[in-house]
Amino acid sequence: MKSKLTDFNLFYTLCFPVVQFATLCHYRRIVIKGKDNIPDDEKYILAPCHQNALMDPLVVLYMENKPVVFLARADIFKKPLARFLLTWLRISPVYRIRDGRDQLSNNEAIFNTARQVVEEGMPLCLMAEGTHNDKHQLLPLVKGMFRIAGATQMELGDSPLYIVPVGLDYDDYERPYSSVMVNVGKPIDVRNFMDDFESKEPVALNRMRDALTTALKAQIHHVDSVEHYNDEYAYCHAKTQEVLRQSKKRNTAWNRFQARQQVSRQVASMSEPEREACYLEGARFAEECSRKGVPLWYASKCSSTSRMSWAIRTMLMLIVLLLAVVLCWEMLPFWLLSNPIVYLPTHLIAKAKVKDPQFRSSINYAIRLGLTLVYSIVLFVVFCISRGFFWALGIILLGMFSAWLTPKVFVLLRDAWYGFKLTSKSK
């Protein structure tokens, strides 16, 4: 029987590029590496780490550039409207013990549906950790994914099924216009575990979990220490520029991510006294950043010797943008009219109303997308009536360009401010 989650949905198809564009505008940059590791003509399950609530599926959709079926925790399906919208978005609930033991029996039908989705050739995505985590640290993986993978592989026989590890790393979980790294690892062939799955299922599940754990840790910035997490994480940022200089790599978001990975691996191999010294250095770096009101991810962009030049370069770019505004002064009213939503501090609404910091970016994304869609439809109708279709189309295209460009201008202003704060003398 064909799963309804894979049925063609015209409205979903029309909205898909809109959601992708909104995701692109939500971040300063989305860097995708290793996408060629995703099998082209084979069946597979995507297994990302779970770092940032609903933004993780949106980033996966942006990477895949095609429909994906997701499994998500059941508690977000409680309200009828949420259940309707999530089902429309091809998201199905998974029940956990905390949802009530009587609900766990529902998972059998959910897992059967998930298996059908994979067999029909649509990618299935399960967040490997089962719950989102507010640290750059991989949590223990849940076994539901591996049960689905094993049962599906039994149905497929000799046809391969792969589990694809996907590392997600955010500069900042909550702050708008940060950068996100998507790091896709080598696929894991489920057939390698089937001898054990058919005779000793728990052994096979543990082997699959261990293989995916190892693969995911290699794709993310995994901070090994639990007790000294904050200090080690800060130390990784403190040493970023030094690692880039030693390796003679450019100062890009991807290279900084790799530098943090390298520092964490070095710390893991150190003796206890050496690690303690690193933790102290990290704590001092974090304290300096906190005192100056600058986030770690920005402070790691530039060394102490280059902070002023970084700030000056940013200011020069802003001057160029200001000249562009002066030269295009007559277009400014249309620019502001085309998309005023981009200037609203909607992230403050999410910060005030949402307790879980991991969900704030998701709520901010939803608010901005909803307001922008409503405003754009009204603006299009008004311009169609008053100016004609081509004027209306032009103002909508200008609004899309504004949605993409204006946040980048905000980022330049923010970076310039942070740069000068870093160069200021400590009180």
Side-chain angles (χ1 to χ4, degrees):
M1 181 179 177
K2 186 176 174 62
S3 170
K4 291 183 179 180
L5 289 171
T6 60
D7 287 346
F8 174 77
N9 186 316
L10 179 60
F11 192 47
Y12 179 97
T13 303
L14 294 175
C15 289
F16 190 85
V18 176
V19 172
Q20 279 200 307
F21 182 71
T23 304
L24 176 66
C25 295
H26 189 77
Y27 289 104
R28 181 175 190 173
R29 62 175 59 86
I30 302 175
V31 181
I32 301 172
K33 299 288 185 178
K35 191 176 179 181
D36 55 344
N37 287 323
I38 298 177
D40 288 330
D41 301 316
E42 306 290 352
K43 296 175 173 59
Y44 59 92
I45 297 173
L46 294 169
C49 60
H50 203 2
Q51 292 283 300
N52 203 9
L54 296 176
M55 296 314 301
D56 292 340
L58 290 170
V59 171
V60 169
L61 282 175
Y62 180 84
M63 173 197 72
E64 271 285 40
N65 198 29
K66 63 182 178 182
V68 176
V69 173
F70 295 89
L71 297 189
R73 67 192 209 203
D75 60 310
I76 64 175
F77 288 77
K78 287 182 178 179
K79 295 183 179 179
L81 178 59
R83 174 177 285 274
F84 171 79
L85 290 175
L86 291 169
T87 303
W88 173 75
L89 289 168
R90 304 181 192 271
I91 303 176
S92 181
V94 173
Y95 296 90
R96 301 168 295 175
I97 291 179
R98 71 183 66 178
D99 299 314
R101 289 187 178 276
D102 57 323
Q103 297 288 343
L104 293 179
S105 59
N106 294 326
N107 280 341
E108 184 176 353
I110 299 297
F111 288 178
N112 287 335
T113 299
R115 189 170 66 248
Q116 291 172 17
V117 166
V118 177
E119 291 172 3
E120 290 166 23
M122 182 173 285
L124 177 69
C125 181
L126 294 91
M127 299 300 164
E129 297 155 285
T131 185
H132 60 244
N133 181 23
D134 64 348
K135 293 180 172 61
H136 296 258
Q137 197 169 57
L138 192 68
L139 295 176
L141 307 189
V142 295
K143 291 186 178 180
M145 174 192 306
F146 310 117
R147 292 193 178 97
I148 293 171
T152 304
Q153 184 65 73
M154 289 184 68
E155 294 290 331
L156 294 174
D158 293 333
S159 181
L161 170 67
Y162 296 96
I163 298 176
V164 182
V166 181
L168 302 176
D169 187 273
Y170 298 81
D171 277 350
D172 193 292
Y173 295 128
E174 184 179 342
R175 201 182 304 265
Y177 314 132
S178 62
S179 296
V180 55
M181 307 296 115
V182 184
N183 194 14
V184 184
K186 296 290 184 182
I188 299 168
D189 192 337
V190 179
R191 291 176 298 179
N192 296 332
F193 307 92
M194 291 312 293
D195 288 343
D196 282 338
F197 188 83
E198 294 174 4
S199 58
K200 297 173 289 186
E201 183 178 316
V203 174
L205 296 180
N206 286 334
R207 286 182 58 211
M208 280 191 268
R209 182 179 61 185
D210 291 345
L212 182 58
T213 297
T214 300
L216 273 175
K217 283 184 177 179
Q219 306 311 124
I220 66 174
H221 174 209
H222 175 74
V223 177
D224 199 50
S225 175
V226 175
E227 182 181 358
H228 298 283
Y229 169 84
N230 291 329
D231 295 337
E232 182 177 331
Y233 182 64
Y235 178 74
C236 292
H237 282 280
K239 305 301 286 186
T240 295
Q241 287 299 314
E242 181 179 324
V243 171
L244 292 181
R245 285 195 303 273
Q246 290 174 350
S247 58
K248 297 181 180 179
K249 289 184 177 180
R250 294 176 58 221
N251 189 10
T252 65
W254 174 256
N255 288 339
R256 290 193 296 271
F257 161 69
Q258 288 192 308
R260 294 194 297 272
Q261 282 185 309
Q262 180 179 329
V263 174
S264 276
R265 288 192 290 266
Q266 290 172 349
V267 172
S269 65
M270 291 178 179
S271 64
E272 189 63 32
E274 289 175 322
R275 279 200 294 270
E276 290 295 334
C278 293
Y279 297 152
L280 287 173
E281 184 176 343
R284 286 194 295 268
F285 184 73
E287 183 182 0
E288 179 191 2
C289 291
S290 177
R291 186 169 60 249
K292 293 188 175 183
V294 177
L296 290 172
W297 60 263
Y298 180 82
S300 69
K301 279 186 174 184
C302 44
S303 64
S304 58
T305 57
S306 65
R307 288 174 182 173
M308 181 59 77
S309 62
W310 185 279
I312 291 174
R313 187 181 71 174
T314 305
M315 289 304 298
L316 288 175
M317 294 173 69
L318 288 171
I319 291 172
V320 171
L321 286 170
L322 182 61
L323 289 174
V325 170
V326 171
L327 292 174
C328 303
W329 182 255
E330 293 182 357
M331 284 291 296
L332 187 60
F334 290 101
W335 179 274
L336 297 175
L337 178 66
S338 67
N339 191 358
I341 309 301
V342 76
Y343 300 99
L344 300 179
T346 51
H347 63 287
L348 298 179
I349 300 174
K351 188 171 184 178
K353 298 296 183 180
V354 181
K355 292 182 179 180
D356 187 345
Q358 300 301 104
F359 270 102
R360 288 172 184 166
S361 184
S362 305
I363 298 302
N364 183 35
Y365 176 97
I367 291 172
R368 295 178 79 82
L369 178 58
L371 289 176
T372 300
L373 287 175
V374 171
Y375 181 83
S376 298
I377 291 170
V378 172
L379 189 67
F380 183 81
V381 172
V382 169
F383 265 74
C384 267
I385 295 173
S386 61
R387 295 292 188 99
F389 173 79
F390 290 105
W391 264 91
L393 180 61
I395 201 72
I396 295 301
L397 292 176
L398 185 62
M400 292 175 64
F401 183 60
S402 173
W404 175 79
L405 181 63
T406 305
K408 291 174 171 50
V409 177
F410 287 160
V411 166
L412 288 175
L413 288 168
R414 182 182 68 189
D415 285 4
W417 174 239
Y418 284 155
F420 281 109
K421 288 176 79 173
L422 276 174
T423 58
S424 65
K425 295 182 178 180
S426 300
K427 295 181 180 179

